[in-house]
Amino acid sequence: MGLKQVATQQGQFTGRVPYAAAGLLTELVFRGECRSSDLAQHRIVDASVVSRQVGQLEHAGLITRRPDPADKRVSLLRATPDGEHAVAELEHRKAEWLREALSGWQDDEVRNLAQLLGTAMSDIRRYTVDNADCAGQLQRKDNDDQHCSEQ
């Protein structure tokens, strides 16, 4: 994360997308239309963080919202064509930056690193998120059981 911050400060990833909201916009482009609560849960951040980033992206014309047909109280978010183009530019700049930064590496070393990082992220997500979900479900079940036995 520190290296990403340095690259950003050097102007490597600057552009039309606010830095803090770039990950959220990228996720909307790749996931497709969804609720902000789904984004917050998937990104493991507070809903207020997503709300602030959605405001930035909406103001920049990079996303739109529409009422959810299943529940009119919430909105569905979607990247605009400008948002999709901005993500494509951002991804291209990041790929070029990585290509230059790892120019001394062999192709198989880069593939091995990518595979290891992917596996590590999957394991960390499973350990952190899935275990937290299980713990939360168990806690709710224990509370429900206790509430039922008190009645």
Side-chain angles (χ1 to χ4, degrees):
M1 293 303 290
L3 292 175
K4 185 177 178 183
Q5 184 66 31
V6 168
T8 300
Q9 289 170 351
Q10 292 175 351
Q12 297 290 331
F13 305 137
T14 57
R16 297 185 306 161
V17 182
Y19 169 72
L24 186 121
L25 178 60
T26 300
E27 188 161 342
L28 270 175
V29 167
F30 289 105
R31 278 183 73 148
E33 188 174 65
C34 64
R35 296 176 174 194
S36 61
S37 59
D38 295 334
L39 288 170
Q41 181 179 6
H42 189 260
R43 298 183 63 72
I44 315 170
V45 296
D46 188 72
S48 65
V49 172
V50 170
S51 178
R52 185 172 49 254
Q53 293 173 354
V54 163
Q56 292 173 331
L57 294 170
E58 198 170 25
H59 181 73
L62 301 173
I63 67 168
T64 60
R65 68 174 76 216
R66 68 179 182 92
D68 184 342
D71 183 351
K72 302 286 188 209
R73 297 171 297 169
V74 296
S75 297
L76 294 174
L77 306 172
R78 173 187 297 189
T80 64
D82 281 347
E84 292 173 357
H85 184 71
V87 167
E89 288 176 358
L90 179 62
E91 292 298 310
H92 177 75
R93 281 196 308 274
K94 287 193 310 189
E96 287 297 315
W97 179 77
L98 278 171
R99 189 176 355 273
E100 290 175 24
L102 301 179
S103 63
W105 289 42
Q106 298 297 316
D107 288 347
D108 62 327
E109 292 173 316
V110 174
R111 279 190 293 277
N112 190 28
L113 174 63
Q115 189 270 327
L116 289 170
L117 288 172
T119 300
M121 288 308 301
S122 293
D123 289 347
I124 290 167
R125 177 171 284 281
R126 185 174 44 256
Y127 179 78
T128 305
V129 177
D130 293 350
N131 285 350
D133 285 347
C134 290
Q137 289 170 2
L138 288 175
Q139 181 65 39
R140 284 190 298 276
K141 183 181 180 322
D142 288 346
N143 288 343
D144 290 346
D145 291 345
Q146 182 178 7
H147 182 269
C148 289
S149 65
E150 291 172 357
Q151 289 182 346

